[in-house]
Amino acid sequence: MQYRLTTPLCKADLAPLRAGDTVLLSGVVFTARDAAHARMAELLDAGKPLPFDLRGAAIYYVGPTPERPGCVIGAAGPTTAGRMDSFTPRLLDLGLACMIGKGKRSEAVKTAVVRNGAVYLAALGGAGALMAASVQSCKVIAWPDLGCEAVRRLVVQDMPLTVLLDAHGGDLYESGPAAYLQSQKGESEACKT
């Protein structure tokens, strides 16, 4: 199935999604990678507010390249999400609804996704220009000293994504290969008849 979603997101928006579904995401998406996550943890540990409201938010694990003249953003392909795994359960428990990246997640993240009715979506790796085409505006809102890893506020329109982890425990990294193997078994059986 394909869904159109707009941030901020709530559990009711995310409940119908299943691993393997596609999403066209619009609205505000925040960027944050390793260094920004470490700084967010420092703020939380100190009892200070984050540079954006986590409730219903989507975070894209990306460090965009500099924009060319006339462009809003440079290439904006996803980075490996596992590098944020140590920070993610805490952010999900504080209201983060959606993460966008690539790669498998830890069991702790999967458990926190289900516990909080959240999702983890895949952006197409190696297609930074395609992902950037969805970005309508981009503004650095925190830690400009981090360069490409600064926190940005993006406004996106119909960003094409795939559900990797759903709120019900579905994991495309598990169900996808299993479905493929089953389809190959079915084709092999059909050839024997």
Side-chain angles (χ1 to χ4, degrees):
M1 296 281 301
Q2 185 174 73
Y3 295 88
R4 288 184 177 272
L5 297 176
T6 302
T7 62
L9 301 163
C10 67
K11 289 181 182 183
D13 296 328
L14 304 177
L17 303 180
R18 296 294 185 269
D21 286 344
T22 57
V23 171
L24 295 174
L25 184 66
S26 298
V28 173
V29 173
F30 298 97
T31 70
R33 285 181 47 170
D34 320 36
H37 274 73
R39 288 195 183 175
M40 287 191 289
E42 290 171 7
L43 287 176
L44 291 171
D45 290 345
K48 296 180 179 176
L50 296 180
F52 61 93
D53 189 354
L54 280 176
R55 293 171 296 179
I59 292 180
Y60 185 18
Y61 304 138
V62 62
T65 63
E67 68 276 3
R68 294 189 320 240
C71 296
V72 172
I73 196 170
T79 196
T80 304
R83 296 199 313 258
M84 275 55 74
D85 280 3
S86 63
F87 305 104
T88 301
R90 183 180 192 183
L91 299 180
L92 288 166
D93 290 344
L94 291 171
L96 178 64
C98 174
M99 301 152 294
I100 304 165
K102 67 179 181 180
K104 293 182 178 183
R105 305 305 297 265
S106 69
E107 286 302 319
V109 170
K110 290 182 192 182
T111 299
V113 163
V114 172
R115 179 173 66 241
N116 291 286
V119 293
Y120 168 48
L121 307 176
L124 188 58
L130 170 67
M131 300 313 298
S134 303
V135 179
Q136 296 181 320
S137 69
C138 173
K139 179 182 179 184
V140 173
I141 62 166
W143 307 308
D145 61 300
L146 295 179
C148 72
E149 290 199 43
V151 175
R152 290 168 170 76
R153 182 186 186 274
L154 307 180
V155 175
V156 302
Q157 180 67 44
D158 292 337
M159 180 178 270
L161 305 164
T162 302
V163 179
L164 290 175
L165 298 178
D166 64 39
H168 313 283
D171 181 346
L172 191 58
Y173 281 109
E174 293 174 3
S175 61
Y180 173 78
L181 291 173
Q182 187 63 34
S183 74
Q184 294 303 302
K185 183 179 176 185
E187 286 181 21
S188 177
E189 293 297 320
C191 290
K192 291 180 183 178
T193 57

